[in-house]
mmCIF file of all heavy atoms in Angstrom:
data_model
loop_
_atom_site.group_PDB
_atom_site.id
_atom_site.type_symbol
_atom_site.label_atom_id
_atom_site.label_comp_id
_atom_site.label_asym_id
_atom_site.label_seq_id
_atom_site.Cartn_x
_atom_site.Cartn_y
_atom_site.Cartn_z
ATOM 1 N N THR A 201 -44.532 7.103 9.141
ATOM 2 C CA THR A 201 -44.236 5.876 8.417
ATOM 3 C C THR A 201 -45.448 4.984 8.183
ATOM 4 O O THR A 201 -45.410 4.096 7.322
ATOM 5 C CB THR A 201 -43.201 5.025 9.175
ATOM 6 O OG1 THR A 201 -43.766 4.609 10.425
ATOM 7 C CG2 THR A 201 -41.912 5.818 9.409
ATOM 8 N N GLY A 202 -46.488 5.175 8.970
ATOM 9 C CA GLY A 202 -47.643 4.284 8.878
ATOM 10 C C GLY A 202 -47.421 2.972 9.601
ATOM 11 O O GLY A 202 -48.285 2.085 9.587
ATOM 12 N N CYS A 203 -46.279 2.829 10.265
ATOM 13 C CA CYS A 203 -45.966 1.604 11.012
ATOM 14 C C CYS A 203 -46.736 1.601 12.338
ATOM 15 O O CYS A 203 -47.033 2.663 12.880
ATOM 16 C CB CYS A 203 -44.477 1.512 11.303
ATOM 17 S SG CYS A 203 -43.469 1.315 9.828
ATOM 18 N N ASP A 204 -47.037 0.407 12.839
ATOM 19 C CA ASP A 204 -47.723 0.308 14.132
ATOM 20 C C ASP A 204 -46.815 -0.249 15.218
ATOM 21 O O ASP A 204 -47.250 -0.506 16.329
ATOM 22 C CB ASP A 204 -49.016 -0.484 14.023
ATOM 23 C CG ASP A 204 -48.783 -1.898 13.499
ATOM 24 O OD1 ASP A 204 -47.610 -2.325 13.411
ATOM 25 O OD2 ASP A 204 -49.772 -2.584 13.178
ATOM 26 N N LEU A 205 -45.531 -0.447 14.884
ATOM 27 C CA LEU A 205 -44.537 -0.930 15.836
ATOM 28 C C LEU A 205 -43.331 -0.016 15.734
ATOM 29 O O LEU A 205 -42.677 0.058 14.680
ATOM 30 C CB LEU A 205 -44.140 -2.373 15.510
ATOM 31 C CG LEU A 205 -43.144 -3.053 16.460
ATOM 32 C CD1 LEU A 205 -43.760 -3.237 17.844
ATOM 33 C CD2 LEU A 205 -42.727 -4.394 15.885
ATOM 34 N N VAL A 206 -43.038 0.744 16.802
ATOM 35 C CA VAL A 206 -41.957 1.725 16.766
ATOM 36 C C VAL A 206 -41.130 1.685 18.040
ATOM 37 O O VAL A 206 -41.609 1.237 19.075
ATOM 38 C CB VAL A 206 -42.483 3.161 16.536
ATOM 39 C CG1 VAL A 206 -43.110 3.309 15.171
ATOM 40 C CG2 VAL A 206 -43.459 3.551 17.614
ATOM 41 N N VAL A 207 -39.899 2.151 17.940
ATOM 42 C CA VAL A 207 -38.996 2.252 19.071
ATOM 43 C C VAL A 207 -38.413 3.671 19.084
ATOM 44 O O VAL A 207 -38.056 4.186 18.011
ATOM 45 C CB VAL A 207 -37.844 1.223 18.977
ATOM 46 C CG1 VAL A 207 -36.852 1.420 20.123
ATOM 47 C CG2 VAL A 207 -38.373 -0.181 18.962
ATOM 48 N N ALA A 208 -38.308 4.270 20.243
ATOM 49 C CA ALA A 208 -37.703 5.588 20.397
ATOM 50 C C ALA A 208 -36.861 5.613 21.662
ATOM 51 O O ALA A 208 -37.094 4.810 22.582
ATOM 52 C CB ALA A 208 -38.759 6.673 20.450
ATOM 53 N N SER A 209 -35.900 6.513 21.699
ATOM 54 C CA SER A 209 -35.075 6.667 22.903
ATOM 55 C C SER A 209 -35.041 8.107 23.330
ATOM 56 O O SER A 209 -35.293 9.015 22.535
ATOM 57 C CB SER A 209 -33.657 6.150 22.637
ATOM 58 O OG SER A 209 -33.002 7.006 21.730
ATOM 59 N N GLU A 210 -34.738 8.306 24.602
ATOM 60 C CA GLU A 210 -34.586 9.659 25.135
ATOM 61 C C GLU A 210 -33.611 9.587 26.312
ATOM 62 O O GLU A 210 -33.700 8.706 27.151
ATOM 63 C CB GLU A 210 -35.927 10.223 25.597
ATOM 64 C CG GLU A 210 -35.890 11.655 26.057
ATOM 65 C CD GLU A 210 -35.537 12.660 24.965
ATOM 66 O OE1 GLU A 210 -35.503 12.318 23.768
ATOM 67 O OE2 GLU A 210 -35.262 13.820 25.330
ATOM 68 N N GLY A 211 -32.678 10.520 26.328
ATOM 69 C CA GLY A 211 -31.701 10.543 27.392
ATOM 70 C C GLY A 211 -31.694 11.873 28.135
ATOM 71 O O GLY A 211 -32.076 12.899 27.583
ATOM 72 N N SER A 212 -31.266 11.820 29.384
ATOM 73 C CA SER A 212 -31.173 13.003 30.230
ATOM 74 C C SER A 212 -29.863 12.959 31.012
ATOM 75 O O SER A 212 -29.388 11.877 31.367
ATOM 76 C CB SER A 212 -32.327 13.037 31.243
ATOM 77 O OG SER A 212 -33.554 13.048 30.606
ATOM 78 N N PHE A 213 -29.353 14.148 31.309
ATOM 79 C CA PHE A 213 -28.114 14.285 32.080
ATOM 80 C C PHE A 213 -28.296 15.342 33.143
ATOM 81 O O PHE A 213 -28.981 16.326 32.941
ATOM 82 C CB PHE A 213 -26.947 14.664 31.154
ATOM 83 C CG PHE A 213 -26.676 13.626 30.125
ATOM 84 C CD1 PHE A 213 -27.348 13.655 28.914
ATOM 85 C CD2 PHE A 213 -25.818 12.585 30.388
ATOM 86 C CE1 PHE A 213 -27.132 12.665 27.969
ATOM 87 C CE2 PHE A 213 -25.605 11.599 29.456
ATOM 88 C CZ PHE A 213 -26.256 11.649 28.244
ATOM 89 N N GLY A 214 -27.678 15.111 34.264
ATOM 90 C CA GLY A 214 -27.763 16.042 35.387
ATOM 91 C C GLY A 214 -27.436 15.309 36.646
ATOM 92 O O GLY A 214 -26.733 14.285 36.642
ATOM 93 N N ALA A 215 -27.975 15.773 37.748
ATOM 94 C CA ALA A 215 -27.719 15.116 39.051
ATOM 95 C C ALA A 215 -28.356 13.732 39.035
ATOM 96 O O ALA A 215 -29.499 13.558 38.605
ATOM 97 C CB ALA A 215 -28.281 15.956 40.169
ATOM 98 N N HIS A 216 -27.607 12.745 39.507
ATOM 99 C CA HIS A 216 -28.130 11.383 39.643
ATOM 100 C C HIS A 216 -29.330 11.423 40.601
ATOM 101 O O HIS A 216 -29.283 12.144 41.605
ATOM 102 C CB HIS A 216 -27.017 10.466 40.180
ATOM 103 C CG HIS A 216 -27.362 9.037 40.210
ATOM 104 N ND1 HIS A 216 -28.150 8.491 41.209
ATOM 105 C CD2 HIS A 216 -27.046 8.036 39.361
ATOM 106 C CE1 HIS A 216 -28.294 7.192 40.976
ATOM 107 N NE2 HIS A 216 -27.643 6.906 39.861
ATOM 108 N N PRO A 217 -30.397 10.681 40.315
ATOM 109 C CA PRO A 217 -31.596 10.762 41.159
ATOM 110 C C PRO A 217 -31.369 10.375 42.643
ATOM 111 O O PRO A 217 -32.046 10.888 43.518
ATOM 112 C CB PRO A 217 -32.586 9.819 40.509
ATOM 113 C CG PRO A 217 -31.871 9.090 39.469
ATOM 114 C CD PRO A 217 -30.572 9.773 39.214
ATOM 115 N N SER A 218 -30.417 9.491 42.910
ATOM 116 C CA SER A 218 -30.142 9.083 44.293
ATOM 117 C C SER A 218 -28.890 9.733 44.872
ATOM 118 O O SER A 218 -28.822 9.991 46.064
ATOM 119 C CB SER A 218 -29.954 7.556 44.368
ATOM 120 O OG SER A 218 -31.016 6.900 43.774
ATOM 121 N N LEU A 219 -27.916 9.939 44.041
ATOM 122 C CA LEU A 219 -26.624 10.499 44.470
ATOM 123 C C LEU A 219 -26.542 11.936 43.961
ATOM 124 O O LEU A 219 -25.886 12.228 42.984
ATOM 125 C CB LEU A 219 -25.465 9.655 43.892
ATOM 126 C CG LEU A 219 -25.587 8.149 44.077
ATOM 127 C CD1 LEU A 219 -24.592 7.407 43.207
ATOM 128 C CD2 LEU A 219 -25.392 7.808 45.542
ATOM 129 N N VAL A 220 -27.204 12.827 44.644
ATOM 130 C CA VAL A 220 -27.478 14.173 44.137
ATOM 131 C C VAL A 220 -26.256 14.971 43.675
ATOM 132 O O VAL A 220 -26.373 15.768 42.776
ATOM 133 C CB VAL A 220 -28.230 15.017 45.180
ATOM 134 C CG1 VAL A 220 -29.229 15.913 44.514
ATOM 135 C CG2 VAL A 220 -28.910 14.178 46.225
ATOM 136 N N PHE A 221 -25.102 14.733 44.255
ATOM 137 C CA PHE A 221 -23.925 15.505 43.872
ATOM 138 C C PHE A 221 -23.062 14.797 42.828
ATOM 139 O O PHE A 221 -21.976 15.247 42.525
ATOM 140 C CB PHE A 221 -23.074 15.818 45.115
ATOM 141 C CG PHE A 221 -23.837 16.659 46.103
ATOM 142 C CD1 PHE A 221 -24.320 16.122 47.288
ATOM 143 C CD2 PHE A 221 -24.103 17.989 45.838
ATOM 144 C CE1 PHE A 221 -25.035 16.886 48.180
ATOM 145 C CE2 PHE A 221 -24.825 18.770 46.724
ATOM 146 C CZ PHE A 221 -25.284 18.222 47.906
ATOM 147 N N VAL A 222 -23.597 13.728 42.246
ATOM 148 C CA VAL A 222 -22.885 12.956 41.232
ATOM 149 C C VAL A 222 -23.618 13.092 39.905
ATOM 150 O O VAL A 222 -24.837 12.930 39.861
ATOM 151 C CB VAL A 222 -22.803 11.463 41.654
ATOM 152 C CG1 VAL A 222 -22.141 10.623 40.577
ATOM 153 C CG2 VAL A 222 -22.084 11.323 42.986
ATOM 154 N N PRO A 223 -22.899 13.388 38.805
ATOM 155 C CA PRO A 223 -23.587 13.477 37.508
ATOM 156 C C PRO A 223 -24.133 12.115 37.107
ATOM 157 O O PRO A 223 -23.521 11.070 37.355
ATOM 158 C CB PRO A 223 -22.508 13.924 36.542
ATOM 159 C CG PRO A 223 -21.289 14.174 37.328
ATOM 160 C CD PRO A 223 -21.492 13.699 38.728
ATOM 161 N N GLY A 224 -25.304 12.132 36.485
ATOM 162 C CA GLY A 224 -25.936 10.893 36.073
ATOM 163 C C GLY A 224 -26.431 10.958 34.640
ATOM 164 O O GLY A 224 -26.689 12.014 34.084
ATOM 165 N N ASN A 225 -26.529 9.785 34.033
ATOM 166 C CA ASN A 225 -27.070 9.595 32.680
ATOM 167 C C ASN A 225 -28.266 8.673 32.809
ATOM 168 O O ASN A 225 -28.144 7.558 33.296
ATOM 169 C CB ASN A 225 -25.992 8.980 31.774
ATOM 170 C CG ASN A 225 -26.492 8.606 30.398
ATOM 171 O OD1 ASN A 225 -26.311 7.516 29.962
ATOM 172 N ND2 ASN A 225 -27.094 9.488 29.698
ATOM 173 N N ASP A 226 -29.435 9.151 32.408
ATOM 174 C CA ASP A 226 -30.692 8.388 32.492
ATOM 175 C C ASP A 226 -31.181 8.167 31.063
ATOM 176 O O ASP A 226 -31.489 9.119 30.352
ATOM 177 C CB ASP A 226 -31.690 9.218 33.294
ATOM 178 C CG ASP A 226 -32.988 8.456 33.602
ATOM 179 O OD1 ASP A 226 -33.167 7.339 33.091
ATOM 180 O OD2 ASP A 226 -33.803 9.006 34.360
ATOM 181 N N GLU A 227 -31.259 6.906 30.650
ATOM 182 C CA GLU A 227 -31.652 6.562 29.283
ATOM 183 C C GLU A 227 -32.941 5.738 29.305
ATOM 184 O O GLU A 227 -33.083 4.831 30.102
ATOM 185 C CB GLU A 227 -30.569 5.750 28.568
ATOM 186 C CG GLU A 227 -29.268 6.506 28.359
ATOM 187 C CD GLU A 227 -29.362 7.633 27.342
ATOM 188 O OE1 GLU A 227 -30.332 7.703 26.561
ATOM 189 O OE2 GLU A 227 -28.448 8.492 27.351
ATOM 190 N N ILE A 228 -33.839 6.098 28.402
ATOM 191 C CA ILE A 228 -35.091 5.363 28.229
ATOM 192 C C ILE A 228 -35.189 4.896 26.797
ATOM 193 O O ILE A 228 -34.932 5.659 25.854
ATOM 194 C CB ILE A 228 -36.299 6.280 28.535
ATOM 195 C CG1 ILE A 228 -36.348 6.588 30.030
ATOM 196 C CG2 ILE A 228 -37.617 5.653 28.079
ATOM 197 C CD1 ILE A 228 -37.426 7.587 30.418
ATOM 198 N N ILE A 229 -35.547 3.618 26.622
ATOM 199 C CA ILE A 229 -35.868 3.055 25.318
ATOM 200 C C ILE A 229 -37.317 2.636 25.400
ATOM 201 O O ILE A 229 -37.696 1.864 26.313
ATOM 202 C CB ILE A 229 -34.988 1.825 24.958
ATOM 203 C CG1 ILE A 229 -33.512 2.161 25.079
ATOM 204 C CG2 ILE A 229 -35.344 1.304 23.572
ATOM 205 C CD1 ILE A 229 -32.979 3.116 24.057
ATOM 206 N N LEU A 230 -38.124 3.110 24.488
ATOM 207 C CA LEU A 230 -39.569 2.820 24.521
ATOM 208 C C LEU A 230 -39.962 2.100 23.235
ATOM 209 O O LEU A 230 -39.658 2.540 22.134
ATOM 210 C CB LEU A 230 -40.353 4.136 24.630
ATOM 211 C CG LEU A 230 -41.867 4.036 24.562
ATOM 212 C CD1 LEU A 230 -42.423 3.258 25.759
ATOM 213 C CD2 LEU A 230 -42.491 5.425 24.484
ATOM 214 N N LEU A 231 -40.660 0.969 23.404
ATOM 215 C CA LEU A 231 -41.229 0.232 22.288
ATOM 216 C C LEU A 231 -42.749 0.336 22.382
ATOM 217 O O LEU A 231 -43.309 0.074 23.450
ATOM 218 C CB LEU A 231 -40.832 -1.254 22.327
ATOM 219 C CG LEU A 231 -41.383 -2.103 21.183
ATOM 220 C CD1 LEU A 231 -40.322 -3.083 20.696
ATOM 221 C CD2 LEU A 231 -42.632 -2.858 21.599
ATOM 222 N N VAL A 232 -43.378 0.789 21.307
ATOM 223 C CA VAL A 232 -44.837 0.896 21.267
ATOM 224 C C VAL A 232 -45.350 -0.001 20.144
ATOM 225 O O VAL A 232 -44.914 0.100 19.001
ATOM 226 C CB VAL A 232 -45.304 2.361 21.034
ATOM 227 C CG1 VAL A 232 -46.811 2.431 20.851
ATOM 228 C CG2 VAL A 232 -44.863 3.239 22.185
ATOM 229 N N ASP A 233 -46.265 -0.911 20.527
ATOM 230 C CA ASP A 233 -46.955 -1.784 19.590
ATOM 231 C C ASP A 233 -48.420 -1.340 19.570
ATOM 232 O O ASP A 233 -49.193 -1.741 20.450
ATOM 233 C CB ASP A 233 -46.802 -3.245 20.047
ATOM 234 C CG ASP A 233 -47.507 -4.225 19.120
ATOM 235 O OD1 ASP A 233 -48.364 -3.825 18.306
ATOM 236 O OD2 ASP A 233 -47.197 -5.435 19.249
ATOM 237 N N LYS A 234 -48.757 -0.503 18.623
ATOM 238 C CA LYS A 234 -50.104 0.085 18.562
ATOM 239 C C LYS A 234 -51.165 -0.987 18.287
ATOM 240 O O LYS A 234 -52.253 -0.956 18.867
ATOM 241 C CB LYS A 234 -50.119 1.161 17.485
ATOM 242 C CG LYS A 234 -51.340 2.015 17.467
ATOM 243 C CD LYS A 234 -51.230 3.066 18.533
ATOM 244 C CE LYS A 234 -52.194 4.205 18.247
ATOM 245 N NZ LYS A 234 -52.084 5.251 19.225
ATOM 246 N N LYS A 235 -50.841 -1.950 17.419
ATOM 247 C CA LYS A 235 -51.796 -2.975 17.032
ATOM 248 C C LYS A 235 -52.242 -3.805 18.238
ATOM 249 O O LYS A 235 -53.420 -4.147 18.379
ATOM 250 C CB LYS A 235 -51.166 -3.881 15.959
ATOM 251 C CG LYS A 235 -52.121 -4.924 15.396
ATOM 252 C CD LYS A 235 -51.543 -5.532 14.138
ATOM 253 C CE LYS A 235 -50.869 -6.834 14.473
ATOM 254 N NZ LYS A 235 -50.312 -7.513 13.289
ATOM 255 N N ASN A 236 -51.309 -4.127 19.110
ATOM 256 C CA ASN A 236 -51.603 -4.947 20.287
ATOM 257 C C ASN A 236 -51.765 -4.119 21.566
ATOM 258 O O ASN A 236 -51.875 -4.680 22.657
ATOM 259 C CB ASN A 236 -50.524 -5.999 20.479
ATOM 260 C CG ASN A 236 -50.512 -6.969 19.318
ATOM 261 O OD1 ASN A 236 -51.509 -7.656 19.074
ATOM 262 N ND2 ASN A 236 -49.418 -7.018 18.574
ATOM 263 N N ASN A 237 -51.686 -2.799 21.425
ATOM 264 C CA ASN A 237 -51.818 -1.874 22.554
ATOM 265 C C ASN A 237 -50.846 -2.199 23.686
ATOM 266 O O ASN A 237 -51.212 -2.342 24.843
ATOM 267 C CB ASN A 237 -53.275 -1.877 23.076
ATOM 268 C CG ASN A 237 -53.571 -0.638 23.903
ATOM 269 O OD1 ASN A 237 -52.941 0.403 23.716
ATOM 270 N ND2 ASN A 237 -54.498 -0.768 24.820
ATOM 271 N N ILE A 238 -49.562 -2.325 23.294
ATOM 272 C CA ILE A 238 -48.492 -2.666 24.242
ATOM 273 C C ILE A 238 -47.448 -1.551 24.242
ATOM 274 O O ILE A 238 -47.062 -1.047 23.184
ATOM 275 C CB ILE A 238 -47.822 -3.995 23.866
ATOM 276 C CG1 ILE A 238 -48.816 -5.157 23.946
ATOM 277 C CG2 ILE A 238 -46.613 -4.267 24.770
ATOM 278 C CD1 ILE A 238 -48.280 -6.456 23.382
ATOM 279 N N GLU A 239 -46.973 -1.220 25.427
ATOM 280 C CA GLU A 239 -45.869 -0.280 25.592
ATOM 281 C C GLU A 239 -44.866 -0.924 26.547
ATOM 282 O O GLU A 239 -45.238 -1.340 27.643
ATOM 283 C CB GLU A 239 -46.389 1.044 26.162
ATOM 284 C CG GLU A 239 -45.318 2.060 26.390
ATOM 285 C CD GLU A 239 -45.856 3.358 26.964
ATOM 286 O OE1 GLU A 239 -46.477 4.133 26.205
ATOM 287 O OE2 GLU A 239 -45.651 3.604 28.167
ATOM 288 N N ILE A 240 -43.608 -0.997 26.122
ATOM 289 C CA ILE A 240 -42.550 -1.571 26.953
ATOM 290 C C ILE A 240 -41.434 -0.552 27.083
ATOM 291 O O ILE A 240 -40.989 0.032 26.101
ATOM 292 C CB ILE A 240 -42.006 -2.876 26.336
ATOM 293 C CG1 ILE A 240 -43.128 -3.893 26.108
ATOM 294 C CG2 ILE A 240 -40.925 -3.465 27.239
ATOM 295 C CD1 ILE A 240 -42.688 -5.111 25.310
ATOM 296 N N VAL A 241 -40.978 -0.347 28.338
ATOM 297 C CA VAL A 241 -39.920 0.627 28.605
ATOM 298 C C VAL A 241 -38.692 -0.087 29.138
ATOM 299 O O VAL A 241 -38.793 -0.915 30.044
ATOM 300 C CB VAL A 241 -40.373 1.680 29.646
ATOM 301 C CG1 VAL A 241 -39.244 2.642 29.979
ATOM 302 C CG2 VAL A 241 -41.606 2.428 29.156
ATOM 303 N N GLY A 242 -37.549 0.221 28.570
ATOM 304 C CA GLY A 242 -36.269 -0.193 29.121
ATOM 305 C C GLY A 242 -35.574 1.050 29.636
ATOM 306 O O GLY A 242 -35.563 2.075 28.950
ATOM 307 N N ARG A 243 -35.016 0.978 30.835
ATOM 308 C CA ARG A 243 -34.390 2.184 31.417
ATOM 309 C C ARG A 243 -33.069 1.792 32.087
ATOM 310 O O ARG A 243 -32.973 0.748 32.725
ATOM 311 C CB ARG A 243 -35.318 2.801 32.452
ATOM 312 C CG ARG A 243 -34.799 4.096 33.045
ATOM 313 C CD ARG A 243 -35.793 4.704 33.995
ATOM 314 N NE ARG A 243 -35.333 5.991 34.480
ATOM 315 C CZ ARG A 243 -35.807 6.594 35.554
ATOM 316 N NH1 ARG A 243 -36.782 6.026 36.259
ATOM 317 N NH2 ARG A 243 -35.325 7.752 35.924
#
């Protein structure tokens, strides 16, 4: 796109990281601001 501000998401499913025998959903939202050299993660 030529944009310098973008957002992407990624999800994972499997064993919960702390409760190993329980299924878990782990979601990441990533904002990258290339112009200001900033990366922010929401999880």
Side-chain angles (χ1 to χ4, degrees):
T201 64
C203 295
D204 58 11
L205 183 65
V206 294
V207 176
S209 68
E210 185 65 11
S212 301
F213 298 88
H216 187 280
S218 308
L219 311 167
V220 217
F221 298 107
V222 176
N225 173 232
D226 187 353
E227 296 291 344
I228 291 175
I229 306 291
L230 175 65
L231 180 140
V232 174
D233 179 344
K234 191 80 161 182
K235 185 167 96 179
N236 296 299
N237 199 27
I238 297 171
E239 179 180 285
I240 303 171
V241 177
R243 184 177 184 198

